[in-house]
Structure formats: C-alpha cells, structure tokens
Amino acid sequence: MKRSRDRAASELFAALYPRLAGWCRRLVDDDETAHEIASEAFTRLWARWTSVEEPRGFLYVTAANLVRDHWRKMERERKAMRRATSEAALRPHAEQSDPSVRLLVQSLPERLRVPILLHYYADMPIREVSVLTGRKEGTVKADLHAARELLRVHLRRSLDPTV
C-alpha cells in the first residue's frame, strides 16, 4: 500500500512539478522562489494526500496562495525600504508610474485574482477553473470579464494619470 502510494506521489511530482514551478516562475520572476513555492505546494499536498480529491487543482490553488503571500511580503519589504531611504518623500507617485501587470493582478480582490491566475497563468480551461473554485462556469466567465475590465482601467490610469 505504502509503495503504491509513494509511486503515485512520485509520478504526480514528475508530471506536474516542472509546469507548476514554471507557472510560479512567471508570477514571482525568480527561479529560486518559484521552486520554493512549488515545493511547498507539494509538501502541503503530501500532508493531506489521502484527503485531496483533485491534486492538480490543490497544487495550483495552494501555489496561488503562496504567490500572493510572497507578493505581500515583497510589498511590505518595498514599503519598508522606501521609508528607510526616504524615497517616498522624494517621489510620492513612483508606484503609479509602474504599470506592472503583476502588481495590478495582485491588487485584484481574491475572488477575481484566483480565476485570472488559474485561467491565464496556468492555462486552465474555464471548466477546470470552475471545478477548482467551486463556482459555476458562467460565474467564472463573469469574474474573468470583471477582472479584465478592472485591469484595463488600472492600466490606463497608470499609463495616463489624467484618465
């Protein structure tokens, strides 16, 4: 029993880890951090191995949450660095001039951010996003549309503050 469980875990790791780590890499822009996040997602999966019905979905949702935590940590570090160097006093609108899509996605409410990450960054079809998030396909489509509209408005605003 343990041997077949270990074999299944090894096969799952071999099949999903490279893509999950690559997905994380695109989100955090750092190889080491991406591998740490992907590894942590697998560690959490192994801890719940017998109770997880959809391992792939569990991995991506867990990784999305870990990426969000990483983004928050990075933002806290950036704010602390700005305070320490008084950069905020010199350039108070510096963040508005950075139309980073990653920062814009990070700023979305979780209800909209998770479908965006799963559909566009993990290349999951709407049907699969629906299953993983426990929402109807129509709701996922509406959330994706709402997220794209918010991103469009924020991007326009960051490129042209007079809008």
Side-chain angles (χ1 to χ4, degrees):
M1 176 72 171
K2 180 172 175 7
R3 197 162 196 61
S4 66
R5 179 178 173 239
D6 289 347
R7 186 180 310 119
S10 282
E11 289 171 2
L12 183 72
F13 184 83
L16 297 182
Y17 183 84
R19 188 166 181 193
L20 180 67
W23 179 68
C24 292
R25 169 68 173 86
R26 288 193 308 271
L27 294 172
V28 299
D29 201 30
D30 177 66
D31 284 334
E32 187 176 333
T33 303
H35 285 285
E36 287 175 12
I37 289 171
S39 296
E40 178 63 22
F42 271 95
T43 299
R44 292 182 185 190
L45 173 63
W46 303 150
R48 297 166 183 80
W49 183 250
T50 57
S51 63
V52 174
E53 291 182 31
E54 177 51 56
R56 181 173 184 250
F58 179 90
L59 287 168
Y60 275 91
V61 169
T62 301
N65 289 335
L66 292 168
V67 165
R68 182 196 65 227
D69 293 345
H70 172 75
W71 285 343
R72 286 178 177 163
K73 177 184 175 208
M74 296 305 292
E75 183 58 26
R76 285 191 305 271
E77 289 174 3
R78 277 192 290 272
K79 285 180 180 177
M81 190 61 109
R82 277 196 300 269
R83 278 192 303 272
T85 61
S86 301
E87 181 181 280
L90 298 174
R91 291 185 288 163
H93 299 294
E95 271 195 40
Q96 288 181 348
S97 65
D98 178 16
S100 166
V101 173
R102 182 176 299 125
L103 289 174
L104 295 175
V105 170
Q106 178 185 352
S107 72
L108 290 172
E110 185 172 354
R111 171 182 74 77
L112 302 177
R113 185 178 52 247
V114 170
I116 286 284
L117 291 173
L118 294 176
H119 183 65
Y120 290 108
Y121 287 85
D123 297 323
M124 290 185 184
I126 289 174
R127 181 176 24 82
E128 195 167 345
V129 174
S130 168
V131 170
L132 294 176
T133 59
R135 300 180 194 149
K136 294 180 180 179
E137 285 185 38
T139 303
V140 170
K141 289 177 185 177
D143 288 346
L144 288 170
H145 176 75
R148 286 190 305 267
E149 287 303 310
L150 277 174
L151 291 172
R152 186 175 295 123
V153 167
H154 288 304
L155 188 57
R156 273 196 196 123
R157 211 173 276 144
S158 67
L159 294 173
D160 183 4
T162 62
V163 174

